[in-house]
Amino acid sequence: MASILDEYEDSLHRSVSGQQSRASVGIPHSGYVNARLEKETPIFNKQRIDFAPPEKINSLVVSSNQLCMSLGKDTLLRIDLGKPDEPNQVELGRKDEAKVYKMFLDHTGSHLLIALNTSECLYLNRSVQKVRALSRWKGHLIESVGWNKFLGSETNTGPILVGTSQGQIYEAEISVSEGSLFSTNPDQYFRQVYTLEEESGPAPVCCLEIERGIEGKFFIIATTRKRLFQFVGKVPEGTEQQGFSSIFAVHADHLPSFREFPANLGFSELAFYTPKLRSSPRSFAWMMGNGVLYGTLDYSRPDSILSDERVWVYPPDIDITVNKPISIVLTQFHFLLLLPDRVKAVCTLNGQVVFQDLFLEKFGLLTRMIKDPTVQQIWIHTEKVVFRYHVQRESRDVWKMYMNMNKFDLAKEYCKDRPECLDIVLAKEAEHCFQNKRYLDSAKCYALTQNYFEEIALKFIEAKQEEALMEFLIKKLSNLKPSEKTQTTLLTTWLTELYLNWLGILQGDPSQRNLYLDTREKFRTFLSSPKNKDCLFNNRASIYELLASHGDTEHMVYFAVIMQDYERVVAHHCQHDEYDEALNVLSRHRDEKLFYKFSPVLIQHIPKKVVDAWISMGSRLDARNLIPALVNYSQSASTQQINEAIRYMEFCVYQLEETQQAIHNYLLSLYALCRPDSLLSYLEQAGTNPNRIHYDLKYALRLCAEHGHHRACVHIYKVMELYEEAVDLALQVDVDLAKSCADLPEDDEELRKKLWLKIARHVVQEEKDVKKAMACLSSCALLKIEDVLPFFPDFVTIDHFKEAICNSLEDYNKHIEELKREMEEATQSAKRIREDIQEMRNKYGSVEPQEKCAACDFPLLNRPFYLFLCGHMFHYDCLLQAVFPNLPAYKQAKLEDLQKKLAATSQPSKSHHRPKDADTISLGKGQQSREQIKADIDDIVAAECVYCGELMIRSIDKPFIDPQKYEEEMQSWL
């Protein structure tokens, strides 16, 4: 088998060096790896909104599907994007030259702030139609608003932060009073909390953002043109409504932490990305003079929320002195830059421009770009046109970027639903690990790819990385389908060879003991894996050959146990004289066939334990199949060892109640050989009924005769009802035993007498004991003194028989008297019978003329009739008709014959002169007279009354209607 694997490895070398002949040896590869990826729609899909504004668009904001648009000088248009056909127009009511500078809409879409270029600010709530002026805000040009996402509601903003063009940060709160009788100012308060400065002094607050971390900690991000500030502090629980003054108060004497960049756009803009299922942003992008500062937000950090920061410089075609960016929007993996005539999308993973959309000059210059964070839609407008971008499957190519960055886990995460991409990532990761000598990790990845099996296997073989090759084969094996049986066979066999080689190397190195034990455990896990079980079972012969070639008997036994090849396990133990282990395997798995096969060997060495195991198996073992093992064992064993065989046979007979003749015969032979006392008790316990005896009587008789067990032979003769032979043999043993045999034929007095005569003759002639002979007379009533006298010799005096002779004579006298009495009783009986017969002849009865036949109900005297003692009267023919069907067949035949004879005697004679007593004369030699024929007919027909005799009793279960005529009778009743 090892040579086969060597040849296979050589074939791998040839298949690759022969260049890329892709005839796979065994492991198939899918076709999707080289397939061209399908053409997909753009990630950012632009849509022009079908809207023609009556005036130029000054500003546009959108949040929570609520869009607000400033048109011309004095018009405000509000649109619920869920109901775009129901726009709401509101007039600002300004008569002066004031223009809308900026608009700010909160995250709920309920609160709208309108900053005017006259340093005034207006407020409009979604639920009202009237714009309100915020008097406390007057005199400040509003640049940014930090909304409170944690305490705000549809009628109240909660504490918010407001940034001005002069660098001041104010804290304010706006509330709408519904149903109030008197109009009140919506701005609850407006107080300064901090001033942002740059090198030259106060600078406009370009952006404000409020976020809450863990344990009640708040993070406030504020930006100027060149700086990004962070204010971090806790607001005591229950005092959130009091605002953020305490956070800014901490930094009253010193500057907060900030990031500063030298270049200056004249403004800056901060964008955030918030996943749909989260309430807090996950990443940020700050557009400033040197580029875009991108990073993630880590709310668990103590002093700064910003994490993983890096600056992506602007693409080469963006010159901040000529066409500087106007706005920025951040998505999950891109930030979009708005330029006067185009939109650029830059990937946040690698800083490359992945999308550019150029706008036609007819639309005018692009003014602003914003994003609705709730629905992830991007809006762009000029003074005349509004566009909307839909973000579709933004992560489709992210896997490729992560892969090129060697971030393979992230790459696999973003292509887990695209197997063709996942395969590319796995192949790249595998190659990366291989080059960095992380061979095991490389093998795990290669096993999941669809790369050619031969190439990968050869890479590890050439690198002499057997452990990695094993890992690759194991993973590849686990990914095979059940139908790929050939490939599974190849891999399991190859892995077995590799494991055995590796174990052989480690076993010889004491310093590698722990590694050896670990590898051995892995090998055993591999052999016992349920997934590999069928393959290993079907190819167990090859595996056995491999194990044998390596001399690994330990794992050969282990593998045989897994394959449930217990025959091989037991044979192995027997070959190594490990009989106890072999018996333990048999007892544990309780396989009857293995017991039958190995019992002849085991019983020679551990007889008691083997018999104990047999007994524990109970009725599952057929004792007949174990008899050969016992016979071979008992022929060469001592009496003490034979006792084990007897113990098991007794268990079968008395506990299992076996009835098989072979078992009883063998037990009988063991008893005859070693336990004669048990032999007789066994025979007596078996009984004397031949039909209920389970041993062979003839075999038992021969066996007992061969071993000289006469009493047992006598018992068997009695069972066979060979009483003469029993008595003959018993007389050789014991006269009393012979007497017990002589009384057995109770129904045959002649035989009993014969048997007792044998005993008497033996006593007289062999033992010459007259008194014992006389005792025989008293034991058997059938014997008389005259039967025994011939056996005595002539010189015996009569004194010995005097009493017996007298008793005999008295018995004869009694018998004669009894016969006389019986003769007198018989004479009297005969006399009484003759008198009764004479009386019956003279008995008569009277019949009235009106009497009728009991059967046909016609007058009785019209035809011959019968009169019975019970009083019933029948015509002859009516009685014959009623009696004939119920007679036995032989009587019916006899009656027909008698009727024919009677008809023959009734024919008129040819002679005109008939003798007077013609009916009484003989009709010829051997023929009956007419009167005798009539008498015979009467004996049959008129033996008893048909209504009162046995005939009526026998017909009690006869149906009233003949079954054959039942249908006809039933039809007649309908």
Side-chain angles (χ1 to χ4, degrees):
M1 195 64 196
S3 62
I4 296 175
L5 296 176
D6 293 338
E7 291 178 5
Y8 175 64
E9 291 180 6
D10 293 340
S11 70
L12 293 186
H13 283 279
R14 292 194 299 270
S15 65
V16 177
S17 60
Q19 193 42 38
Q20 317 304 338
S21 66
R22 297 301 190 185
S24 177
V25 174
I27 311 302
H29 56 275
S30 300
Y32 61 73
V33 176
N34 296 323
R36 185 177 180 179
L37 303 183
E38 69 275 12
K39 186 177 181 180
E40 300 187 26
T41 57
I43 296 175
F44 303 100
N45 188 19
K46 183 175 69 176
Q47 176 189 7
R48 179 181 175 183
I49 303 301
D50 186 12
F51 172 69
E55 300 180 73
K56 69 175 183 177
I57 302 173
N58 299 320
S59 180
L60 184 148
V61 289
V62 61
S63 181
S64 295
N65 239 13
Q66 301 295 320
L67 184 145
C68 298
M69 188 185 303
S70 171
L71 301 176
K73 175 184 175 183
D74 197 48
T75 303
L76 187 67
L77 188 64
R78 297 189 297 182
I79 301 174
D80 184 350
L81 297 177
K83 304 174 183 177
D85 298 332
E86 302 176 7
N88 176 248
Q89 185 170 321
V90 179
E91 299 297 330
L92 297 182
R94 303 288 296 190
K95 303 301 182 182
D96 54 11
E97 297 299 321
K99 296 181 180 179
V100 174
Y101 176 62
K102 285 184 178 181
M103 292 197 302
F104 308 94
L105 187 62
D106 79 320
H107 62 286
T108 66
S110 300
H111 307 282
L112 176 65
L113 291 173
I114 307 163
L116 303 179
N117 59 357
T118 58
S119 299
E120 296 179 78
C121 192
L122 305 178
Y123 170 74
L124 179 63
N125 190 276
R126 185 169 64 179
S127 60
V128 298
Q129 284 288 107
K130 186 177 180 181
V131 177
R132 303 288 300 278
L134 301 177
S135 58
R136 292 187 175 90
W137 298 40
K138 190 173 182 180
H140 301 283
L141 183 62
I142 307 302
E143 291 285 350
S144 59
V145 175
W147 296 103
N148 193 328
K149 294 177 286 187
F150 315 105
L151 297 177
S153 65
E154 292 184 358
T155 59
N156 188 288
T157 63
I160 61 175
L161 297 177
V162 180
T164 69
S165 60
Q166 300 301 317
Q168 297 97 351
I169 298 177
Y170 288 86
E171 184 180 81
E173 184 176 358
I174 302 173
S175 178
V176 178
S177 301
E178 296 184 2
S180 176
L181 184 62
F182 301 98
S183 177
T184 59
N185 290 331
D187 49 338
Q188 302 296 311
Y189 62 88
F190 190 77
R191 57 174 176 261
Q192 184 177 353
V193 293
Y194 201 81
T195 300
L196 296 182
E197 295 182 354
E198 293 181 350
E199 294 176 353
S200 58
V205 182
C206 299
C207 297
L208 280 171
E209 181 72 16
I210 304 172
E211 294 298 336
R212 183 168 62 183
I214 59 177
E215 299 178 354
K217 185 179 291 187
F218 280 84
F219 297 88
I220 298 173
I221 301 175
T223 65
T224 62
R225 292 166 296 189
K226 298 167 53 178
R227 292 183 176 180
L228 185 149
F229 296 87
Q230 288 188 77
F231 299 88
V232 183
K234 285 187 177 182
V235 177
E237 188 176 355
T239 63
E240 291 89 348
Q241 199 66 38
Q242 297 178 8
F244 307 101
S245 302
S246 60
I247 298 176
F248 289 99
V250 175
H251 303 281
D253 299 331
H254 61 276
L255 287 175
S257 62
F258 65 90
R259 295 288 306 274
E260 184 175 14
F261 293 90
N264 185 358
L265 289 174
F267 65 95
S268 70
E269 186 169 339
L270 188 62
F272 293 90
Y273 167 69
T274 304
K276 290 183 179 180
L277 301 179
R278 294 182 58 181
S279 59
S280 300
R282 192 175 69 183
S283 57
F284 75 98
W286 180 38
M287 183 182 71
M288 42 77 182
N290 290 83
V292 176
L293 176 66
Y294 173 80
T296 58
L297 302 179
D298 186 354
Y299 297 92
S300 63
R301 300 181 65 183
D303 299 326
S304 174
I305 193 176
L306 308 181
S307 177
D308 298 331
E309 303 170 50
R310 66 179 304 172
V311 176
W312 293 115
V313 298
Y314 294 120
D317 59 343
I318 296 179
D319 185 355
I320 61 174
T321 61
V322 180
N323 58 341
K324 58 185 176 182
I326 302 170
S327 293
I328 186 171
V329 164
L330 181 62
T331 63
Q332 185 177 6
F333 296 106
H334 303 85
F335 60 82
L336 280 71
L337 296 174
L338 180 70
L339 300 171
D341 61 345
R342 71 193 64 191
V343 173
K344 287 181 178 290
V346 179
C347 179
T348 58
L349 299 178
N350 55 16
Q352 295 181 1
V353 177
V354 297
F355 173 78
Q356 179 171 282
D357 193 5
L358 187 66
F359 289 77
L360 300 177
E361 292 183 3
K362 66 177 183 178
F363 299 135
L365 297 176
L366 301 179
T367 305
R368 183 165 174 77
M369 176 174 61
I370 54 175
K371 186 183 74 168
D372 186 346
T374 58
V375 294
Q376 305 296 326
Q377 291 180 349
I378 301 170
W379 296 78
I380 297 176
H381 72 91
T382 66
E383 292 183 348
K384 298 184 288 185
V385 184
V386 178
F387 297 92
R388 178 171 59 188
Y389 281 96
H390 292 276
V391 182
Q392 297 179 337
R393 295 182 60 205
E394 184 182 4
S395 62
R396 66 183 70 172
D397 294 326
V398 170
W399 64 270
K400 190 181 302 182
M401 300 174 189
Y402 278 128
M403 180 185 69
N404 294 332
M405 297 164 63
N406 293 334
K407 296 182 178 180
F408 300 108
D409 291 337
L410 290 173
K412 288 183 283 189
E413 180 68 22
Y414 286 100
C415 64
K416 58 185 177 182
D417 297 329
R418 302 170 66 184
E420 70 282 0
C421 301
L422 180 61
D423 189 77
I424 297 173
V425 174
L426 289 170
K428 182 70 179 292
E429 182 182 8
E431 185 63 28
H432 175 78
C433 293
F434 192 90
Q435 292 176 357
N436 288 276
K437 301 187 182 303
R438 292 162 48 201
Y439 297 110
L440 286 178
D441 293 335
S442 176
K444 293 175 182 178
C445 294
Y446 269 132
L448 299 175
T449 68
Q450 300 301 319
N451 288 21
Y452 290 100
F453 173 80
E454 306 93 312
E455 294 179 358
I456 301 170
L458 189 57
K459 283 173 71 84
F460 290 115
I461 293 173
E462 291 177 345
K464 297 182 179 179
Q465 296 295 323
E466 282 197 7
E467 189 176 0
L469 177 60
M470 289 166 59
E471 184 68 28
F472 169 69
L473 296 178
I474 290 172
K475 293 293 183 183
K476 204 69 179 177
L477 178 63
S478 64
N479 294 331
L480 289 179
K481 300 176 182 177
S483 59
E484 297 172 329
K485 296 182 179 180
T486 303
Q487 295 87 337
T488 303
T489 301
L490 169 66
L491 292 183
T492 52
T493 308
W494 194 359
L495 277 168
T496 302
E497 172 71 14
L498 291 174
Y499 268 120
L500 291 173
N501 286 336
W502 188 237
L503 286 171
I505 294 172
L506 294 177
Q507 191 173 19
D509 188 353
S511 62
Q512 300 290 333
R513 178 64 179 172
N514 292 334
L515 181 58
Y516 167 76
L517 294 176
D518 183 57
T519 306
R520 186 183 68 175
E521 188 62 30
K522 289 181 180 179
F523 182 42
R524 292 185 174 184
T525 303
F526 166 75
L527 292 177
S528 59
S529 171
K531 186 173 183 180
N532 303 333
K533 184 175 182 180
D534 290 340
C535 178
L536 290 171
F537 181 80
N538 295 331
N539 299 278
R540 59 189 183 278
S542 300
I543 303 299
Y544 282 132
E545 289 179 8
L546 278 175
L547 292 166
S549 66
H550 284 266
D552 196 341
T553 57
E554 178 185 0
H555 283 106
M556 181 181 292
V557 173
Y558 182 83
F559 180 70
V561 172
I562 294 174
M563 294 294 102
Q564 297 183 357
D565 189 1
Y566 302 117
E567 180 177 351
R568 185 182 293 269
V569 176
V570 176
H572 170 79
H573 288 310
C574 290
Q575 290 171 2
H576 293 79
D577 296 336
E578 299 169 351
Y579 303 109
D580 288 333
E581 290 294 329
L583 184 59
N584 289 337
V585 174
L586 291 177
S587 301
R588 187 163 53 249
H589 300 287
R590 305 174 74 84
D591 189 331
E592 299 88 350
K593 295 181 179 178
L594 294 183
F595 266 104
Y596 300 147
K597 181 172 183 178
F598 291 100
S599 288
V601 176
L602 296 176
I603 200 170
Q604 299 290 337
H605 302 277
I606 47 174
K608 186 178 185 306
K609 293 182 179 180
V610 171
V611 171
D612 289 339
W614 289 351
I615 292 175
S616 67
M617 287 289 288
S619 59
R620 293 184 60 178
L621 289 179
D622 187 350
R624 292 177 300 174
N625 296 329
L626 297 174
I627 289 177
L630 292 171
V631 170
N632 293 334
Y633 170 68
S634 60
Q635 287 177 352
S636 59
S638 64
T639 303
Q640 183 178 359
Q641 293 171 322
I642 293 177
N643 288 337
E644 295 299 330
I646 295 176
R647 181 161 69 96
Y648 180 66
M649 288 292 103
E650 287 179 339
F651 169 77
C652 294
V653 171
Y654 298 122
Q655 300 295 326
L656 301 182
E657 299 181 354
E658 286 284 354
T659 60
Q660 296 293 331
Q661 191 178 77
I663 297 173
H664 286 263
N665 287 347
Y666 183 58
L667 178 60
L668 201 64
S669 68
L670 293 175
Y671 280 149
L673 181 64
C674 297
R675 293 188 186 176
D677 296 338
S678 300
L679 173 63
L680 187 58
S681 62
Y682 165 78
L683 294 174
E684 291 174 350
Q685 188 174 351
T688 58
N689 187 347
N691 296 325
R692 296 184 178 180
I693 289 177
H694 303 302
Y695 58 84
D696 186 343
L697 288 169
K698 295 180 180 179
Y699 171 76
L701 181 62
R702 185 174 67 252
L703 192 66
C704 294
E706 288 177 357
H707 290 84
H709 303 309
H710 296 308
R711 287 185 178 272
C713 291
V714 170
H715 179 81
I716 297 171
Y717 277 134
K718 290 193 294 185
V719 175
M720 298 173 70
E721 297 183 355
L722 300 176
Y723 301 114
E724 292 189 46
E725 291 83 349
V727 171
D728 291 340
L729 185 58
L731 288 173
Q732 300 177 20
V733 180
D734 186 5
V735 174
D736 292 334
L737 179 60
K739 289 180 180 180
S740 64
C741 296
D743 284 332
L744 291 177
E746 298 177 353
D747 299 333
D748 191 345
E749 292 186 354
E750 183 179 353
L751 179 58
R752 285 174 59 200
K753 184 176 179 180
K754 182 178 180 182
L755 297 176
W756 275 103
L757 287 173
K758 282 178 176 287
I759 296 172
R761 176 182 293 175
H762 174 80
V763 171
V764 174
Q765 295 180 352
E766 300 296 331
E767 298 185 5
K768 297 180 174 53
D769 191 340
V770 177
K771 291 183 179 181
K772 190 177 289 188
M774 293 300 102
C776 291
L777 294 178
S778 60
S779 299
C780 180
L782 300 178
L783 290 183
K784 304 298 180 183
I785 185 62
E786 57 270 26
D787 298 326
V788 180
L789 285 175
F791 302 147
F792 289 95
D794 297 338
F795 56 85
V796 178
T797 60
I798 197 171
D799 293 340
H800 296 89
F801 313 111
K802 181 178 180 180
E803 184 179 354
I805 292 173
C806 292
N807 292 335
S808 179
L809 292 175
E810 288 178 3
D811 290 340
Y812 278 124
N813 288 333
K814 291 178 182 180
H815 185 58
I816 291 170
E817 291 298 328
E818 186 177 350
L819 289 176
K820 287 180 179 180
R821 187 171 59 256
E822 290 177 358
M823 290 174 64
E824 289 177 358
E825 290 176 358
T827 302
Q828 293 297 327
S829 238
K831 182 179 179 182
R832 286 194 296 271
I833 290 172
R834 283 193 296 271
E835 291 174 354
D836 289 342
I837 292 173
Q838 187 62 35
E839 185 180 353
M840 288 295 294
R841 286 178 178 174
N842 297 328
K843 195 170 184 178
Y844 65 92
S846 60
V847 179
E848 299 295 332
Q850 67 273 15
E851 292 291 346
K852 296 182 179 180
C853 175
C856 65
D857 205 29
F858 281 95
L860 186 68
L861 300 177
N862 290 348
R863 300 196 298 274
F865 63 90
Y866 288 101
L867 171 63
F868 291 95
L869 293 177
C870 61
H872 289 113
M873 293 167 280
F874 301 91
H875 290 128
Y876 165 76
D877 54 343
C878 293
L879 182 61
L880 180 64
Q881 186 177 2
V883 171
F884 185 82
N886 297 288
L887 291 174
Y890 75 93
K891 283 192 176 183
Q892 290 180 355
K894 183 176 180 181
L895 182 58
E896 290 176 351
D897 184 55
L898 291 172
Q899 287 177 328
K900 291 179 181 178
K901 291 180 179 179
L902 182 62
T905 60
S906 300
Q907 294 178 0
S909 177
K910 294 182 180 181
S911 174
H912 296 287
H913 301 284
R914 186 175 181 179
K916 181 177 180 180
D917 53 350
D919 289 340
T920 61
I921 64 175
S922 176
L923 297 177
K925 187 176 180 180
Q927 295 185 349
Q928 296 174 310
S929 66
R930 178 180 178 82
E931 290 299 328
Q932 183 63 41
I933 293 174
K934 283 184 176 183
D936 292 342
I937 292 175
D938 289 344
D939 290 341
I940 296 174
V941 176
E944 59 183 1
C945 175
V946 72
Y947 287 168
C948 302
E950 292 185 3
L951 181 62
M952 183 58 65
I953 297 173
R954 289 198 302 270
S955 65
I956 190 171
D957 58 346
K958 183 178 179 181
F960 291 109
I961 302 174
D962 188 351
Q964 297 180 353
K965 298 180 180 180
Y966 178 79
E967 292 294 334
E968 180 182 350
E969 186 68 21
M970 186 177 67
Q971 293 297 329
S972 67
W973 281 74
L974 297 178

